[in-house]
Amino acid sequence: MAAEVRARIMAGDLVAGTQLPSTAHLVTEFGVSNTTVQKALAVLKAEGYLTSRQGKGVFVRERQPFRVEVGAYFEPTPGGYSYELLEVTELPAPNDVAEALNIGAGDRVLVRRRLLRHAGRPVEVEWSYYPLELAAGTELAGSQRIPGGAPRVLADLGYDLQHFVDAVSARMPTNEEIDLLALPDVPVIRQFRVAYSHDDRPVEVSVLVKGSHLYELVYRLPA
């Protein structure tokens, strides 16, 4: 029952602010017990899909999924996207990052950790990794936000981004992700992105994490 109601909300068949039918109606529609209905509704409330209004009933959440265009960089604008730089540091590359960058396991990389917001709301936490030989001594190693973003710095270094490859998966969030993204009890969408310059050279690996309940990824691909 929870899966069916969730699917209707995500498809827009149950629009924002819609009041759900009575418990008796749901018992009949789904052929389940009153207890099962209450458990299903509790799951959807915990996930942020439904809200209760005292003395009125259960309603579909007001906030609908925000469609996030897939891109290398979003220009900050008033009321639009903004970035908060959380950390810039050096550390040994995780195994998947080292493999993607074609460097040795445990080789040190520069990492920039940021929080992406839209209209003030946290959308995504991201970790971007760069080979030290490329990033050391550049704006990427600084503790300030970068006008034009990392793509501009990489282009200035002679590494214009040509394409990137996303591997998209889902998992439960870490405690840090729950706090930064203000998540209810939902999985997160994880994008493991490798950005390539000329001659298919990997120059950046980003791990992008966002809540699965309020965000959709939009890819525009040539036919």
Side-chain angles (χ1 to χ4, degrees):
M1 175 187 163
E4 176 62 28
V5 174
R6 187 188 301 113
R8 293 178 189 177
I9 294 172
M10 294 183 70
D13 296 330
L14 289 173
V15 300
T18 298
Q19 182 174 4
L20 260 63
S22 67
T23 298
H25 179 97
L26 295 172
V27 165
T28 301
E29 178 182 356
F30 289 98
V32 296
S33 68
N34 184 296
T35 300
T36 298
V37 168
Q38 297 306 319
K39 287 182 178 179
L41 296 180
V43 167
L44 295 170
K45 290 175 188 176
E47 293 177 354
Y49 287 97
L50 300 176
T51 59
S52 291
R53 298 179 188 173
Q54 188 68 32
K56 293 185 178 180
V58 178
F59 295 80
V60 176
R61 65 187 179 194
E62 292 291 346
R63 188 179 172 194
Q64 290 300 288
F66 174 66
R67 292 194 161 192
V68 181
E69 293 277 352
V70 174
Y73 177 71
F74 301 110
E75 190 70 33
T77 57
Y81 286 108
S82 62
Y83 295 92
E84 178 183 347
L85 183 62
L86 302 176
E87 181 183 31
V88 180
T89 189
E90 295 179 15
L91 48 73
N95 288 342
D96 53 356
V97 171
E99 182 178 357
L101 289 175
N102 290 331
I103 61 177
D107 283 1
R108 296 186 70 79
V109 291
L110 179 81
V111 58
R112 295 178 65 87
R113 184 167 62 98
R114 303 183 301 176
L115 182 66
L116 176 66
R117 299 178 186 272
H118 186 271
R121 290 172 168 163
V123 174
E124 176 180 271
V125 59
E126 54 187 66
W127 293 257
S128 293
Y129 301 86
Y130 306 91
L132 271 186
E133 63 174 1
L134 184 154
T138 72
E139 289 176 84
L140 294 172
S143 57
Q144 295 81 31
R145 287 178 291 180
I146 301 173
R152 194 268 301 164
V153 178
L154 293 169
D156 290 348
L157 294 170
Y159 300 105
D160 303 71
L161 297 185
Q162 299 298 302
H163 67 280
F164 55 78
V165 177
D166 276 8
V168 181
S169 57
R171 61 165 170 75
M172 295 306 294
T174 65
N175 287 337
E176 178 188 28
E177 292 160 358
I178 291 172
D179 291 340
L180 287 172
L181 298 174
L183 295 175
D185 185 21
V186 295
V188 291
I189 302 169
R190 178 183 185 268
Q191 294 164 264
F192 185 88
R193 172 175 295 171
V194 185
Y196 294 87
S197 185
H198 302 284
D199 301 320
D200 278 343
R201 174 173 177 174
V203 293
E204 177 189 75
V205 170
S206 294
V207 178
L208 316 172
V209 174
K210 57 178 64 62
S212 62
H213 63 315
L214 285 177
Y215 302 99
E216 297 177 347
L217 299 178
V218 179
Y219 287 86
R220 300 184 186 276
L221 305 173

